[in-house]
Amino acid sequence: MKIGDKLIRAMDDHGLVRALVVISTDVVEEARRCHDCYPVAAAALGRTLSAALLLGATLKESERLTLRIVGDGPLGSITVDTDGKGNVRGYVRNPHIELLCKNGKLDVGGAVGVGFLHLTREIGLKEPYTGTAPLISGEIAEDITNYLFASEQVPSTCALGVLINPDYSVQAAGGFLVQALPGATDETLERLETNLLAMPPISTLIHAGKTVDDILALLFNGMPWHVLAEEGVLFNCGCSRQRFADAFICLGKQELQEMQAEGQAEARCHFCNKTYYFTKDDLQELIKQI
Ligand code: ZN
């Protein structure tokens, strides 16, 4: 049964706990396919894509959030961005890393390495704001939890998971983010902690066919709660031939004439790996526009 990717925001009825859940199996599979990611790269990129969707859940239209995981491990950096409409895109510097395993699991932390997490929010007319925190484990979820506490003073728990099939396709992916709001009572925090400890891994739940509502019911067990908003999510780059043509025009006439002399030019989008080709004639058209 295909459930479809979804992001949901909910709150307990007393307004003390906020939770976000995303099922992103199709998003991560599309990213894996675009970039031909091997398993550990698919897991790391998939966790980062899911995290960005959770962190960007309250963005308004025209706002953006960029999440960068910059470690010294074999994967290189991971860059993901999302808008306020449920679109997310991203890439990992080295998608063809051979399997790194630790205790029978994909070793995402080892593949990411030691480094920093950078989160940039472009909100409204204000200057973009970037916050930075050191990576705790490179496993992404712990790094997000640490970032939110260290940089934004929000106590949170983040869980992220990606399961990969033997043929390298994505079996299940998703995550959640739970935040205790100011005024949360000890009783509420204890109940939340008990619920979190009892939760099976998020990827196991999604693989078992649990919906976002089922997962919220586990997180809010014993607390009355309600849904605030729900939206579909998509791996969608939004790049276009025109955007690259505009970038070529910015290079100037001389540069374009040199490219033309070498034959056709090509431009590859980092975010979705799509390549746009410009023939000699195409380049001539661009030169005319300068
Ligand atoms: Zn693209």
Side-chain angles (χ1 to χ4, degrees):
M1 183 179 66
K2 197 172 166 77
I3 299 167
D5 285 0
K6 204 179 268 187
L7 174 70
I8 196 164
R9 282 192 287 139
M11 192 174 275
D12 80 298
D13 286 354
H14 300 296
L16 301 174
V17 178
R18 179 168 59 187
L20 302 104
V21 177
V22 66
I23 292 182
S24 51
T25 308
D26 295 342
V27 163
V28 179
E29 169 59 13
E30 182 62 11
R32 181 203 68 82
R33 202 188 55 74
C34 287
H35 296 291
D36 187 31
C37 290
Y38 290 7
V40 76
L45 179 58
R47 290 184 196 180
T48 311
L49 287 163
S50 306
L53 285 168
L54 292 169
L55 293 166
T58 53
L59 289 175
K60 296 184 186 72
E61 269 192 46
S62 84
E63 297 181 345
R64 296 196 81 84
L65 177 145
T66 304
L67 176 59
R68 290 174 62 229
I69 305 289
V70 184
D72 64 357
L75 284 179
S77 59
I78 305 166
T79 305
V80 166
D81 81 355
T82 183
D83 61 10
K85 292 175 271 186
N87 297 303
V88 68
R89 59 181 187 165
Y91 63 97
V92 51
R93 182 68 61 190
N94 301 313
H96 296 157
I97 300 302
E98 291 300 333
L99 212 59
L100 282 184
C101 282
K102 196 173 171 184
N103 305 327
K105 285 183 174 175
L106 288 170
D107 183 11
V108 172
V112 167
V114 176
F116 291 90
L117 178 160
H118 307 281
L119 184 67
T120 303
R121 297 179 193 270
E122 291 171 54
I123 295 176
L125 297 170
K126 290 186 206 154
E127 283 287 300
Y129 169 78
T130 300
T132 296
L135 297 173
I136 294 296
S137 63
E139 295 282 337
I140 318 291
E142 278 175 53
D143 305 310
I144 297 288
T145 299
N146 174 65
Y147 169 84
L148 289 171
F149 190 70
S151 186
E152 301 190 359
Q153 287 82 48
V154 184
S156 316
T157 298
C158 180
L160 302 164
V162 176
L163 284 182
I164 307 286
N165 284 312
D167 69 357
Y168 287 9
S169 63
V170 176
Q171 196 172 58
F176 66 75
L177 184 64
V178 183
Q179 300 181 317
L181 301 173
T185 58
D186 288 347
E187 190 191 344
T188 304
L189 294 177
E190 277 168 30
R191 162 57 70 180
L192 189 56
E193 180 141 10
T194 307
N195 292 351
L196 287 168
L197 285 171
M199 292 276 287
I202 181 79
S203 50
T204 306
L205 290 171
I206 295 168
H207 180 48
K210 301 291 183 199
T211 64
V212 281
D213 294 87
D214 296 334
I215 297 164
L216 282 169
L218 292 174
L219 287 169
F220 283 120
N221 186 23
M223 292 182 250
W225 59 281
H226 59 278
V227 170
L228 296 172
E230 189 175 322
E231 65 175 348
V233 293
L234 206 61
F235 185 92
N236 182 17
C237 184
C239 67
S240 65
R241 185 177 173 79
Q242 187 58 46
R243 202 171 285 184
F244 283 97
D246 292 344
F248 276 150
I249 288 170
C250 287
L251 293 174
K253 202 173 234 173
Q254 195 184 343
E255 187 88 8
L256 287 182
Q257 280 166 342
E258 283 169 20
M259 284 160 73
Q260 204 182 17
E262 287 169 20
Q264 70 163 15
E266 58 180 67
R268 188 174 65 84
C269 173
H270 287 304
F271 281 100
C272 68
N273 213 20
K274 189 170 177 183
T275 305
Y276 295 90
Y277 296 96
F278 292 82
T279 63
K280 273 190 171 188
D281 289 346
D282 293 335
L283 291 169
Q284 190 55 44
E285 282 303 311
L286 297 182
I287 290 166
K288 272 195 221 162
Q289 292 177 43
I290 295 174

